[in-house]
Amino acid sequence: MVKLLSAGVLIFLFSAPVSAVEYEDHDGMLMDHGDGHLMDMAGGMVMGQNSSTLPGGCDSIAETKEITVHAGHKYAEKFPGRMFAFDTQEFNFKPCTKLTVHFINDDNVRHQWMMHGLPKYLYPKGMFHLEISGPAKISGTLILPPGDKTYLVHCDIAQHMEKGMKAQLKVGKGDGDLPSIPGVTAYVIADDYKGSLSTVMADVSAAAEAAPTVVANKPAPVSQPPKEDSVISGVTVIGLVIGLLFAPFLAKKFKGMSVSEAIATIFDWVRAGIELVVKLLSRLMKLVISNKNKILPGK
């Protein structure tokens, strides 16, 4: 009996340190880099820290609240198909609430608690952001804006939000629910767990067998005759260029004339142009005929 008790005590003593999780507390190590941006050498980060400046529309702090939010793989077990999650998926506070968030990362990877859509005149990046590699904890404070609005809270590490780490925070009554919040709203793309592996493999095999047939029966592409260039477009462009070049001259020439006088002037120009072309053609014809009548030497 004594041996059994001794063995039990030894097992308890050795198992206790293994089961206990030590969280590294980064709150005392953060350095202020300005604009509410706090960091430490171990990788802890707070962005959007604001514990004193009231947002526009807030005459005073409505109430002071503190919440503790856990993040980790184990909180996603109740949501089929999810990999990561917060322990709470929905928060609700009064407008102008001074809120302190204690963020605890239970995993051995990096997680974030990031809130989007805040006014940029007060929060330069438009967000409040807690980030830490776990197991660890970190805290930050912000003052919520006035009005009824629903804000997205999520982890922005690659694929963490898509795998379930997202929530919504409603200020006042909020302005609706966000999609795909685990346990709160329906997923935009619902997971399907009805099929089995054999069913999926059968569908893939059937699709692979049907693919060559579809390609073989595909009609040959019909060759299209080359399209001729449009003459009208070219003539139009040339006309516009000529019009732009001669517009100042014409405006100066027709200044002070009546409509009938301007038309008569244009007809005179056209007549003179035709006469000039006729004279040039006549001279060209005479030159060609005279060259043909010349007698070459030796003939």
Side-chain angles (χ1 to χ4, degrees):
M1 186 65 181
V2 176
K3 292 182 179 181
L4 291 175
L5 290 173
S6 300
V9 171
L10 290 174
I11 292 172
F12 174 78
L13 291 175
F14 281 104
S15 63
V18 175
S19 60
V21 178
E22 294 185 2
Y23 295 96
E24 185 177 5
D25 191 348
H26 288 252
D27 293 337
M29 302 185 292
L30 295 171
M31 296 175 287
D32 192 347
H33 293 264
D35 292 331
H37 189 179
L38 289 72
M39 293 183 65
D40 62 20
M41 299 300 293
M45 183 184 302
V46 178
M47 294 178 65
Q49 173 94 329
N50 174 32
S51 57
S52 58
T53 305
L54 289 173
C58 293
D59 297 328
S60 62
I61 294 176
E63 58 183 5
T64 301
K65 290 287 186 177
E66 293 189 26
I67 58 172
T68 299
V69 182
H70 287 260
H73 172 68
K74 63 182 179 181
Y75 304 108
E77 294 177 355
K78 58 183 177 180
F79 306 119
R82 306 301 98 179
M83 182 62 67
F84 301 109
F86 300 121
D87 64 338
T88 304
Q89 279 66 46
E90 188 171 32
F91 308 90
N92 194 289
F93 302 100
K94 294 180 180 179
C96 306
T97 294
K98 182 178 180 180
L99 176 64
T100 298
V101 181
H102 304 290
F103 183 53
I104 299 178
N105 182 356
D106 292 330
D107 287 344
N108 291 307
V109 297
R110 199 165 185 81
H111 285 315
Q112 301 169 339
W113 196 87
M114 182 185 296
M115 181 178 172
H116 284 282
L118 295 169
K120 291 187 177 181
Y121 69 84
L122 185 58
Y123 301 93
K125 303 298 182 181
M127 62 182 173
F128 176 72
H129 177 119
L130 301 175
E131 182 174 343
I132 195 66
S133 295
K137 56 183 177 179
I138 193 169
S139 302
T141 301
L142 78 158
I143 301 177
L144 299 175
D148 298 322
K149 186 173 180 179
T150 303
Y151 294 89
L152 171 67
V153 177
H154 74 120
C155 178
D156 202 35
I157 302 296
Q159 292 296 313
H160 285 201
M161 180 178 72
E162 290 78 3
K163 296 298 183 181
M165 190 164 281
K166 62 187 298 188
Q168 64 181 16
L169 187 150
K170 290 185 176 182
V171 174
K173 298 178 181 178
D175 58 352
D177 291 320
L178 301 177
S180 301
I181 302 297
V184 179
T185 56
Y187 295 119
V188 174
I189 301 176
D191 295 321
D192 186 4
Y193 299 99
K194 297 178 181 179
S196 61
L197 181 60
S198 58
T199 305
V200 173
M201 293 305 296
D203 293 340
V204 171
S205 300
E209 292 176 359
T213 305
V214 173
V215 173
N217 294 333
K218 185 177 180 180
V222 179
S223 59
Q224 297 290 337
K227 294 182 179 179
E228 297 181 357
D229 295 334
S230 175
V231 178
I232 297 177
S233 61
V235 173
T236 304
V237 172
I238 295 173
L240 289 174
V241 172
I242 294 174
L244 291 174
L245 291 175
F246 286 93
F249 170 76
L250 295 175
K252 184 177 181 181
K253 186 67 178 177
F254 293 144
K255 185 177 180 181
M257 291 186 181
S258 63
V259 176
S260 59
E261 290 174 342
I263 294 174
T265 303
I266 293 173
F267 275 110
D268 288 339
W269 288 350
V270 172
R271 179 180 54 79
I274 294 173
E275 290 178 355
L276 179 61
V277 172
V278 170
K279 289 181 180 180
L280 291 176
L281 290 175
S282 177
R283 290 179 183 179
L284 180 62
M285 292 298 293
K286 289 180 180 180
L287 181 62
V288 172
I289 293 172
S290 62
N291 287 336
K292 286 185 178 181
N293 293 333
K294 286 183 179 180
I295 300 175
L296 296 176
K299 293 279 185 170

Coordinates of all heavy atoms in Angstrom, one line a residue, residues 266-299:
I266 N -15.0 80.9 -99.2 CA -14.7 79.4 -99.3 C -14.8 78.9 -100.7 O -13.9 78.2 -101.2 CB -15.5 78.6 -98.3 CG1 -15.2 79.0 -96.9 CG2 -15.3 77.1 -98.5 CD1 -16.1 78.4 -95.8
F267 N -15.9 79.3 -101.4 CA -16.0 78.8 -102.8 C -14.9 79.4 -103.7 O -14.4 78.7 -104.6 CB -17.4 79.2 -103.3 CG -18.5 78.3 -103.0 CD1 -19.5 78.6 -102.1 CD2 -18.5 77.0 -103.6 CE1 -20.5 77.7 -101.8 CE2 -19.5 76.1 -103.3 CZ -20.5 76.4 -102.3
D268 N -14.5 80.6 -103.5 CA -13.4 81.2 -104.2 C -12.1 80.4 -104.0 O -11.3 80.1 -104.9 CB -13.1 82.7 -103.8 CG -14.3 83.6 -104.3 OD1 -14.9 83.2 -105.3 OD2 -14.4 84.7 -103.8
W269 N -11.9 80.0 -102.7 CA -10.7 79.2 -102.4 C -10.8 77.8 -103.1 O -9.8 77.3 -103.7 CB -10.6 79.0 -100.9 CG -10.1 80.2 -100.2 CD1 -9.7 81.4 -100.7 CD2 -10.2 80.4 -98.8 NE1 -9.4 82.3 -99.7 CE2 -9.7 81.7 -98.5 CE3 -10.5 79.6 -97.7 CZ2 -9.6 82.2 -97.2 CZ3 -10.4 80.1 -96.4 CH2 -9.9 81.4 -96.2
V270 N -12.0 77.2 -103.1 CA -12.1 75.9 -103.8 C -11.9 76.1 -105.3 O -11.2 75.2 -105.9 CB -13.5 75.3 -103.5 CG1 -13.7 74.1 -104.3 CG2 -13.7 75.0 -102.0
R271 N -12.5 77.1 -105.9 CA -12.3 77.3 -107.3 C -10.8 77.6 -107.7 O -10.3 77.0 -108.6 CB -13.1 78.5 -107.8 CG -13.0 78.9 -109.3 CD -13.9 80.1 -109.6 NE -13.6 81.2 -108.8 CZ -12.5 82.0 -108.9 NH1 -11.6 81.8 -109.9 NH2 -12.3 83.0 -108.1
A272 N -10.1 78.4 -106.9 CA -8.7 78.6 -107.1 C -7.9 77.4 -107.0 O -7.0 77.1 -107.7 CB -8.2 79.7 -106.2
G273 N -8.3 76.6 -106.0 CA -7.6 75.3 -105.8 C -7.7 74.4 -107.0 O -6.8 73.7 -107.4
I274 N -9.0 74.3 -107.5 CA -9.2 73.4 -108.7 C -8.5 73.9 -109.9 O -7.9 73.1 -110.6 CB -10.7 73.4 -109.0 CG1 -11.5 72.7 -107.8 CG2 -11.0 72.7 -110.3 CD1 -13.0 72.7 -107.9
E275 N -8.5 75.2 -110.1 CA -7.7 75.8 -111.2 C -6.2 75.5 -111.1 O -5.6 75.2 -112.1 CB -7.9 77.3 -111.3 CG -9.4 77.7 -111.7 CD -9.5 79.2 -111.7 OE1 -8.6 79.9 -111.3 OE2 -10.6 79.7 -112.1
L276 N -5.7 75.6 -109.9 CA -4.3 75.3 -109.7 C -4.0 73.8 -110.0 O -3.0 73.5 -110.6 CB -3.9 75.6 -108.2 CG -2.4 75.3 -107.8 CD1 -1.5 76.1 -108.7 CD2 -2.2 75.6 -106.4
V277 N -4.9 72.9 -109.6 CA -4.6 71.5 -109.8 C -4.7 71.2 -111.3 O -3.9 70.4 -111.9 CB -5.7 70.6 -109.1 CG1 -5.6 69.2 -109.5 CG2 -5.5 70.8 -107.6
V278 N -5.7 71.9 -112.0 CA -5.8 71.7 -113.5 C -4.5 72.1 -114.2 O -4.0 71.5 -115.1 CB -7.1 72.4 -114.0 CG1 -7.1 72.4 -115.5 CG2 -8.3 71.7 -113.5
K279 N -4.0 73.3 -113.8 CA -2.8 73.8 -114.4 C -1.6 72.9 -114.2 O -0.8 72.6 -115.1 CB -2.5 75.2 -113.9 CG -3.4 76.3 -114.3 CD -3.0 77.6 -113.7 CE -4.0 78.8 -114.2 NZ -3.6 80.1 -113.6
L280 N -1.5 72.4 -113.0 CA -0.4 71.5 -112.7 C -0.5 70.2 -113.5 O 0.5 69.7 -114.1 CB -0.4 71.1 -111.2 CG 0.0 72.3 -110.3 CD1 -0.1 71.8 -108.8 CD2 1.4 72.7 -110.5
L281 N -1.7 69.7 -113.7 CA -1.9 68.4 -114.5 C -1.6 68.7 -115.9 O -1.1 67.9 -116.6 CB -3.4 67.9 -114.3 CG -3.7 67.3 -112.9 CD1 -5.2 67.0 -112.9 CD2 -2.8 66.1 -112.7
S282 N -2.0 69.9 -116.4 CA -1.8 70.2 -117.8 C -0.3 70.3 -118.1 O 0.2 69.8 -119.1 CB -2.5 71.6 -118.1 OG -2.2 72.0 -119.5
R283 N 0.4 71.0 -117.2 CA 1.9 71.1 -117.4 C 2.5 69.7 -117.3 O 3.5 69.4 -118.1 CB 2.5 72.0 -116.3 CG 2.1 73.4 -116.4 CD 2.7 74.2 -115.3 NE 2.4 75.6 -115.4 CZ 2.7 76.6 -114.6 NH1 3.5 76.2 -113.5 NH2 2.4 77.8 -114.7
L284 N 2.0 68.8 -116.4 CA 2.6 67.5 -116.3 C 2.4 66.7 -117.6 O 3.3 66.0 -118.1 CB 2.0 66.8 -115.1 CG 2.5 65.4 -114.9 CD1 4.0 65.4 -114.6 CD2 1.7 64.7 -113.7
M285 N 1.2 66.8 -118.2 CA 0.8 66.1 -119.4 C 1.7 66.6 -120.6 O 2.2 65.8 -121.4 CB -0.6 66.3 -119.8 CG -1.6 65.6 -118.8 SD -1.3 63.8 -118.8 CE -1.9 63.4 -120.4
K286 N 1.9 68.0 -120.7 CA 2.7 68.5 -121.8 C 4.2 68.0 -121.6 O 4.9 67.7 -122.6 CB 2.7 70.0 -121.7 CG 1.4 70.6 -122.1 CD 1.4 72.1 -122.1 CE 0.1 72.7 -122.5 NZ 0.1 74.2 -122.4
L287 N 4.7 67.9 -120.4 CA 6.0 67.5 -120.2 C 6.2 66.0 -120.6 O 7.2 65.7 -121.2 CB 6.4 67.6 -118.7 CG 7.8 67.2 -118.3 CD1 8.8 68.1 -119.0 CD2 8.0 67.4 -116.7
V288 N 5.2 65.2 -120.3 CA 5.3 63.8 -120.6 C 5.2 63.6 -122.2 O 6.0 62.8 -122.8 CB 4.1 63.0 -120.0 CG1 4.1 61.6 -120.5 CG2 4.3 63.0 -118.5
I289 N 4.4 64.4 -122.8 CA 4.2 64.3 -124.3 C 5.5 64.8 -125.0 O 6.0 64.1 -125.9 CB 3.0 65.1 -124.8 CG1 1.7 64.4 -124.3 CG2 3.0 65.1 -126.3 CD1 0.5 65.2 -124.5
S290 N 6.1 65.8 -124.5 CA 7.3 66.4 -125.1 C 8.5 65.4 -124.9 O 9.3 65.2 -125.8 CB 7.7 67.7 -124.4 OG 7.9 67.5 -123.1
N291 N 8.5 64.7 -123.8 CA 9.6 63.7 -123.7 C 9.4 62.5 -124.6 O 10.4 61.9 -125.1 CB 9.6 63.2 -122.2 CG 10.1 64.2 -121.2 OD1 10.9 65.1 -121.6 ND2 9.7 64.1 -120.0
K292 N 8.2 62.1 -124.9 CA 8.0 61.0 -125.8 C 8.4 61.4 -127.3 O 8.8 60.6 -128.1 CB 6.5 60.6 -125.8 CG 6.2 59.8 -124.6 CD 4.7 59.3 -124.7 CE 4.4 58.5 -123.5 NZ 3.0 58.0 -123.6
N293 N 8.2 62.7 -127.7 CA 8.5 63.1 -129.0 C 10.0 63.4 -129.3 O 10.4 63.7 -130.4 CB 7.7 64.4 -129.3 CG 6.2 64.1 -129.4 OD1 5.8 63.0 -129.7 ND2 5.4 65.2 -129.1
K294 N 10.8 63.4 -128.3 CA 12.2 63.6 -128.4 C 12.8 62.4 -129.2 O 12.5 61.3 -129.0 CB 12.9 63.7 -127.1 CG 12.7 65.0 -126.4 CD 13.4 65.1 -125.1 CE 13.2 66.5 -124.4 NZ 13.9 66.6 -123.2
I295 N 13.7 62.8 -130.2 CA 14.4 61.7 -131.0 C 15.7 61.4 -130.3 O 16.6 62.3 -130.1 CB 14.6 62.2 -132.4 CG1 13.2 62.5 -133.1 CG2 15.4 61.2 -133.3 CD1 13.4 63.1 -134.4
L296 N 15.9 60.2 -130.0 CA 17.2 59.8 -129.4 C 18.3 59.9 -130.4 O 18.2 59.7 -131.6 CB 17.1 58.4 -128.9 CG 16.0 58.2 -127.8 CD1 16.0 56.7 -127.4 CD2 16.4 59.0 -126.6
P297 N 19.6 60.2 -130.0 CA 20.7 60.2 -130.9 C 21.0 58.9 -131.6 O 20.9 57.9 -130.9 CB 21.9 60.6 -129.9 CG 21.2 61.2 -128.7 CD 19.9 60.6 -128.6
G298 N 21.4 58.9 -132.8 CA 21.7 57.7 -133.5 C 20.6 57.1 -134.2 O 20.7 56.1 -134.9
K299 N 19.4 57.6 -134.1 CA 18.2 57.1 -134.7 C 18.0 57.7 -136.1 O 18.2 58.9 -136.3 CB 17.0 57.3 -133.9 CG 17.0 56.6 -132.6 CD 16.6 55.1 -132.8 CE 16.5 54.4 -131.4 NZ 15.8 53.2 -131.5

